Amino acid sequence: MMRLPVFRLHQPESLSDAMALMASSDGETRLVAGGTDLWPNMKRRHQSADVVVSLNRVAELSGIRGEAGGEVRIGAMTTLAAVAASPIVRAAYPALARAVESISSPAIRNMATLGGNLCLDTRCTYYNQTEEWRTSIDFCLKEGGTICWVAPESPRCWAVSSSDAAPVLCALGARARLVSPAGEREVSVAELYRDDGIDYLTKQPDEVLTEVVLPPSDGVQMSFWKLRRRGSIDFAVLTAAVALRRDDDGVVSEAAVWLGAVASAPVRSEAAEAVLVGNSLTAEVITEAATASRKVATPLDNTDFTLQWRSKMVIHYVEAALREIAGLEQERLAPNHAM
Amino acid sequence: MTPPRSGQVIAPDQAPPASAPGSTQEDDLRVVGTPFRRVDGWAKVTGQTRFADDLTFPRMVHMRLVRSTLPHAFIRGIDTSKAEEMPGVVGVLTGKDMPEPFGVLPVSQDEHALCLEKVRFVGDPVVAVAALTEDQAADACSAVTIEYEPLATISSVDEAIETSEPLIHDYGDEGNLHKKISLQFGAVDDGFAQADEIFEDVMFYEGSTHLPMEQHAAVAVPEGGGRITLYTSTQTPHYVHKVLATVLGMPASRVRVIACSVGGGFGGKSDIFSHEIVAAKMALVTGRPVKICLNREEVFYCHRGRHPVLMHLRTGFTKDGAMVAQHLKTALDGGAYGSYGVASTYYTGALQTVTYGLPRYRFDSIRAFTNKPPCGPKRGHATVQPRFALEVHLDKAAQRLGIDPADLRLNNLLPPDSITANYLKVGTIGLGACIQAVVDGSGWRERFQSLPHGRGLGLACGSYLTGAGLPIHWNHLPQSAVQLKLDRMGTVAAYCGEAEIGQGSDSVLAACVAEVLGIGLDDVLLCVGDTGLTPVDLGSYSSRVTLMVGRAAIQAAERARDRLAEAVAEKLDVPADRLVFAESRVFDSGNPENGMPFAEAVQRAEEKFGALATTGSYAPPRAPGRYRGSGVGPSPTYSYSASVIEVEVDPETGLYRVEHVWIAHDIGRAINPVLTIGQVEGSVYMGLGEAMMEEQVFRRLPKNRSNALVHKVPSMLEYKSPTFHEMPPVTTYLIEDPDPEGPFGAKEVGQGPLLPIMPALANAIFDAVGVRIDQVPIGPHMIRKAVEDKAAGGDGRYGPKAFPDIDFGVPLMVPTPDEGGDGRATNSEEAGVRKGSGTMADGVRKDSKP
Ligand SMILES: Cc1cc2nc3c(=O)[nH]c(=O)nc-3n(C[C@@H](O)[C@@H](O)[C@H](O)COP(=O)(O)OP(=O)(O)OC[C@H]3O[C@@H](n4cnc5c(N)ncnc54)[C@H](O)[C@@H]3O)c2cc1C
Ligand code: SF4
């Protein structure tokens, strides 16, 4: 038995009502979308709230607008199942469809939203445990303790950014729209994150993420590879999201290489991008770029699998994603989830 | 030739004509052998089955347990005063309310319903609180304060060997070693001296847990007249009954245990658990029904699962691959309590001899206490780990000797009706046919060692008990009994203490009765697993139910048939031996028109004899071993399995995918082929889980900063068990060679088919990429590391380096049958066999006194 604690739940039907409730509520107030992250966290007493404002009935926040070839806007409350099934997303942003389709299980994708996915709490095997378990090891930094059990000498928390959509959206140069009682702003999805396991979002608590804006994808080639133990349910221990453009001669003119689940935020490998830009996608160039990407990954022993091995896999996964784009024969055993 | 198809039943050509119990009309079995729908299937798929957690009673309250947050500590004080004042709280219990120790084995009475003086692992239960709602009980639990005095944490076998103080328990064979065994069968040194080649391996098998979908639950209901009824999800109602009566200090006649349908057991519900006893006590104290349903984390703490075992195996071979001697050493990490551990320890050595000829054999073993949830029996109970070691060891031997691994095994098969070096009496052996079936099915002869780099085939075998030959509590009583009550309307009620845990035991019981009496499955009404109403069956463990319940049921049904036949013969005026029982009628075989409906037959018999009830029971044959330790291993008959696994491995990453599993199982006779294949596939699934990813492992925080030792991932998200994505296609072959001990010739199937899976996978990985992974689960990083090692000129192996240096003293010497032995040890005094420190074979020793 793990039950939710007692709190007050509001289910407003408009964004402005939601905002008003957020501003007027006494005590700790949180937003909830699909609840597939928040509810388990509250059951385990990671997160608490006196008031929870649900965005579930705010119709204006869900739906996918735009068409292939142009800008596409995805409402934050659009479910992952809807994103993955969307013909526009599948045609124009196949890497995003693949990433979203790989998340957890069908049941969770039916509830979970894209906004919730981007705001997903960071994860750590010393942290995502019951309260009794955490008492047994003494609470760590992320919970007001004085030590990080993963890196005891370190002053910071290294909990892992686990959103699968985030690295793809970063690679695609997507932007996020944030609305608060004070007004609204648009930031790049990349700017939404901070490499800190505790304070992992730059978003203010009273800001609602309303939509994700994807730039036109004409001429962009993209890929997403995800490493995890099983073909379903499991969070990633490494993702590689790559997007690039090539000119008529096949020379890479723009490249974005992002890694997920290897730090407290999605991380970009500028070194890998530098290798790619100005070159053709030959097997050699790809291997060189993949090798260069490993440096930015800082996996620690707080997920499934051994960290040395995960760290080695960075090269293989970036390489696989690039080879897929280049149309080269795939040497890797593809992960056994739907890809 | 065309490979056999999946689900095909194969009768080996050499099969002797069977004279199996129950099979009087061998050719026209009507229920047995048909793929009938399981009798509890409809209720299960429509949600009508009542599991323990579905039960609710008037005035019922809910209980939660406060569990230790320290791995090892003295309890210095417990303050429940605040909790008692909390809203809704109706009762609070601590260890002193139930001070009587208990344990499933008579030799390991080391548990308390709630910890008395000490806690021994994170999760050990200390306080129980009952309240009107589960939330209130949980809140009140948070208000309990326990003062501890921490003790040093012992987290591994090595630490247990090194640490003489503190002791986790004040009993055991030596320091923190719960058990230490050394047995020698025959002149082992002479055997090694005759060997052309001697091969040695050190292997490790990680612990894993059962992961049943149903979390343990129990409801205790106080009844009038000072009685108590406990409804619980258990595999062993009889043992729960025994322990409840003892700990509650009540006459057994006032305690009734009802085994609810179990949503997955696999050995994890065959012990007696704290929450069962405490719920009963709480019900007695409060006078109200008390329910507890454990959460998933608590299920990981109940555990009693697979022991982590480190093994050292040394075998002498002749040039043509015959084994001349073997020495096996095993070290078990037992966790914090005894549980079935003494039996587990013996089981890591007992069944090494039942598959291939092994003339001389030595077995040394220790089981250590550590501050972790107790290990116990999981599917294949402690025979799985040494089987993994043996089958990989044989694969390596075959490779070095230049013999095909299938031939190495086929050439060394133990002959049927053997008595092994360690005095196990083996009857029919379908192993040769099993190997043949998977070799043919997988195209082994053409494809082994011939697939492209990265693809491989591996073969391995296994064997398992069809019921432990000896009961846990030594006695000569039947181990299973069935009562039948025949009703004049034509219903036959079958009473039996067996526990349906999803394996299909209800269906087997009904089928045996229906077959003998010639009635439909629907005409058999079952009343099972109720210690108040049903005769004792020891429970659903050691793959004993089909054989033992089946035999008891056949006996009871045959006795009923004889009575009916006598009355009907008189009425129809035909000799009783000409009567046939079929299609719910009793009729003259010479003139089928001349007969009567079954119900009328019952009426005729009732007129003649009065009310009709019969009984049947079964006790296994006596085993030939007479030495201490010989109680573990004997069985009425052994099942055999062989498997070939095909795997695709990416040598660069170490990631791999199991492409196909071919498995053949020697079932003797399938009472229901569909249920049998289901058990085989379930075993393959569970075996792949252990081979690929499942591990019950613990986290020790840096010792300079913390004493903590916690289960690494007590959740279903992070404890990795395969999903549909990882489950490959499985081709199953059933080998039918009816065994004279089995009901209609049947052997077990619930556990045996798991055994070949882990070694077959390790062997397949070797065929694919040329590296040896000498431990399970096999993580991709291990393969990657071994591949790197090989590329750098190493031996391309990943696995444990050494077995700890342990002085096993003088082994207990038992001359083998070939050496003229009589099953007794020759040096009990010298080997230091102590009275009462014992094993399940204490009784054997007593029994065997001249
Ligand atoms: C078993 C399991 C497996 C999973 N596997 C994966 C996986 O493989 N990959 C992966 O990426 N994720 C995985 N997840 C995480 C999954 O919960 C999220 O991916 C999901 O998308 C979260 O969406 P939600 O709508 O349910 O979020 P919620 O739980 O409702 O919210 C999550 C957080 O975001 C905040 N929030 C939500 N919406 C908004 C908004 N519009 N504006 C501001 N703040 C907001 C909430 O306040 C909360 O803090 C898994 C989860 C489970 C339970
Ligand atoms: S990374 Fe360190 S501080 Fe952060 S959750 Fe894990 S153990 Fe706690």
Side-chain angles (χ1 to χ4, degrees), chain B residues 575-644:
Chain B
D577 61 9
R578 254 181 40 201
L579 292 175
V580 174
F581 286 67
E583 279 152 31
S584 296
R585 286 180 74 241
V586 185
F587 55 89
D588 179 359
S589 61
N591 173 17
E593 299 298 303
N594 186 23
M596 64 178 74
F598 181 80
E600 195 186 327
V602 175
Q603 289 160 18
R604 296 293 82 81
E606 206 178 330
E607 278 167 9
K608 187 170 163 65
F609 301 110
L612 289 177
T614 61
T615 61
S617 60
Y618 178 79
R622 232 165 133 238
R626 295 287 176 276
Y627 58 91
R628 157 161 300 204
S630 61
V632 177
S635 175
T637 177
Y638 299 82
S639 76
Y640 291 87
S641 321
S643 177
V644 168

Side-chain angles (χ1 to χ4, degrees), chain B residues 325-524:
Chain B
Q326 184 172 88
H327 184 180
L328 169 68
K329 290 190 268 186
T330 65
L332 292 77
D333 183 343
Y337 292 98
S339 180
Y340 282 83
V342 170
S344 316
T345 312
Y346 280 103
Y347 271 130
T348 63
L351 298 196
Q352 291 299 85
T353 54
V354 300
T355 38
Y356 318 109
L358 181 58
R360 300 166 195 86
Y361 174 50
R362 175 161 172 183
F363 168 57
D364 298 327
S365 181
I366 54 163
R367 179 180 195 261
F369 282 128
T370 54
N371 294 120
K372 301 190 263 193
C375 298
K378 181 183 171 193
R379 208 171 194 167
H381 192 183
T383 68
V384 169
Q385 300 93 326
R387 176 58 60 181
F388 167 73
L390 177 61
E391 296 290 326
V392 173
H393 184 70
L394 286 179
D395 204 64
K396 295 184 187 185
Q399 179 208 351
R400 291 181 194 147
L401 295 167
I403 304 174
D404 182 294
D407 291 332
L408 181 84
R409 290 173 170 89
L410 287 167
N411 296 343
N412 284 304
L413 290 179
L414 188 71
D417 299 316
S418 296
I419 295 183
T420 65
N422 59 341
Y423 288 90
L424 300 179
K425 191 178 171 318
V426 175
T428 57
I429 300 182
L431 183 56
C434 287
I435 296 175
Q436 206 53 57
V438 294
V439 161
D440 292 345
S442 65
W444 174 268
R445 298 286 180 197
E446 306 79 54
R447 299 169 71 227
F448 174 60
Q449 287 183 330
S450 314
L451 294 168
H453 189 66
R455 268 253 166 185
L457 290 179
L459 181 142
C461 302
S463 173
Y464 199 65
L465 315 166
T466 305
L470 270 76
I472 285 175
H473 302 269
W474 174 254
N475 58 50
H476 289 288
L477 301 168
Q479 296 183 27
S480 190
V482 170
Q483 292 173 349
L484 296 183
K485 187 203 76 181
L486 283 71
D487 151 315
R488 64 183 70 168
M489 311 291 280
T491 309
V492 177
Y495 295 80
C496 176
E498 59 95 355
E500 170 65 71
I501 60 168
Q503 86 278 44
S505 56
D506 282 1
S507 301
V508 167
L509 171 57
C512 290
V513 172
E515 182 67 58
V516 173
L517 293 177
I519 53 180
L521 286 164
D522 292 345
D523 299 322
V524 182

Side-chain angles (χ1 to χ4, degrees), chain A residues 1-4 6 44-45 104 123-126 128-138 147-154 227-235 301-306 308-310 312-313 316-317 319 331-338, chain B residues 64 68-70 122 134-135 138 215 293-298 301 648-657 659 692-693 695 699-702 705-706 708-723 725-726 778-782 784-785 788:
Chain A
M1 184 216 65
M2 272 198 296
R3 297 273 172 81
L4 282 173
V6 175
R44 287 179 161 181
R45 309 296 189 262
S104 192
R123 297 183 65 85
C124 168
T125 46
Y126 287 83
N128 296 98
Q129 303 276 3
T130 63
E131 196 173 25
E132 290 82 3
W133 191 97
R134 278 140 45 222
T135 311
S136 308
I137 63 161
D138 264 346
I147 190 168
C148 167
W149 287 116
V150 181
E153 305 299 335
S154 150
L227 176 62
R228 59 173 163 183
R229 182 78 65 160
R230 301 172 291 183
S232 187
I233 305 279
D234 289 339
F235 282 92
D301 186 20
N302 58 355
T303 66
D304 188 20
F305 287 124
T306 64
Q308 292 85 352
W309 181 78
R310 277 169 67 210
K312 281 183 202 163
M313 290 306 110
H316 294 300
Y317 271 60
E319 190 174 37
E331 293 173 324
R332 295 288 70 79
L333 190 65
N336 50 5
H337 49 258
Chain B
R64 301 290 314 153
S68 171
T69 51
L70 294 189
V122 169
E134 203 175 5
D135 286 346
Q215 294 148 214
C293 180
L294 302 189
N295 66 28
R296 182 55 62 180
E297 184 169 341
E298 292 178 293
Y301 295 152
E648 174 81 29
V649 185
D650 178 350
E652 287 293 313
T653 58
L655 290 164
Y656 63 93
R657 186 167 58 210
E659 300 286 351
M692 297 167 67
M693 59 182 85
E695 44 182 10
R699 192 149 238 166
R700 182 84 163 95
L701 295 189
R705 296 175 191 266
S706 168
L709 176 67
V710 284
H711 191 297
K712 201 167 169 192
V713 284
S715 83
M716 284 193 76
L717 175 60
E718 295 297 341
Y719 176 92
K720 305 300 182 192
S721 185
T723 69
H725 289 281
E726 288 70 49
I778 300 176
H781 68 282
M782 299 175 187
R784 180 62 211 145
K785 217 160 163 100
E788 281 169 10

Side-chain angles (χ1 to χ4, degrees), chain B residues 108-168:
Chain B
S108 306
Q109 301 289 304
D110 60 2
E111 298 187 57
H112 290 94
L114 293 169
C115 294
L116 216 45
E117 286 149 4
K118 252 183 116 172
V119 291
R120 295 180 171 88
F121 69 97
V122 169
D124 224 357
V126 186
V127 177
V129 180
L132 298 180
T133 69
E134 203 175 5
D135 286 346
Q136 287 172 331
D139 286 346
C141 282
S142 325
V144 170
T145 50
I146 304 167
E147 198 190 315
Y148 293 111
E149 181 188 326
L151 291 163
T153 305
I154 295 168
S155 66
S156 65
V157 172
D158 285 336
E159 280 181 16
I161 295 171
E162 282 159 21
T163 316
S164 51
E165 285 291 327
L167 290 177
I168 294 179

Side-chain angles (χ1 to χ4, degrees), chain B residues 10-12 15-23 26 29 32 415-418 425-431 463-467 546-548 550-551 554 618 620-621 635-640 665-671 735-748:
Chain B
I10 299 169
S19 67
S23 311
E26 183 64 28
L29 293 173
V32 167
D417 299 316
S418 296
K425 191 178 171 318
V426 175
T428 57
I429 300 182
L431 183 56
S463 173
Y464 199 65
L465 315 166
T466 305
T546 291
L547 188 136
M548 300 200 195
R551 288 288 301 271
I554 289 171
Y618 178 79
S635 175
T637 177
Y638 299 82
S639 76
Y640 291 87
H665 183 71
D666 163 26
I667 181 70
R669 178 193 299 281
I671 303 259
I735 307 299
E736 292 206 326
D737 173 5
D739 187 280
E741 269 303 305
F744 304 99
K747 299 183 177 185
E748 75 87 36

Side-chain angles (χ1 to χ4, degrees), chain A residues 31 33-38 104 113 117 119 162 164 209 226 233 235:
Chain A
L31 288 167
T36 64
D37 185 46
L38 185 73
S104 192
T113 65
N117 187 261
C119 299
S162 302
D164 287 330
L209 171 63
K226 171 170 174 174
I233 305 279
F235 282 92

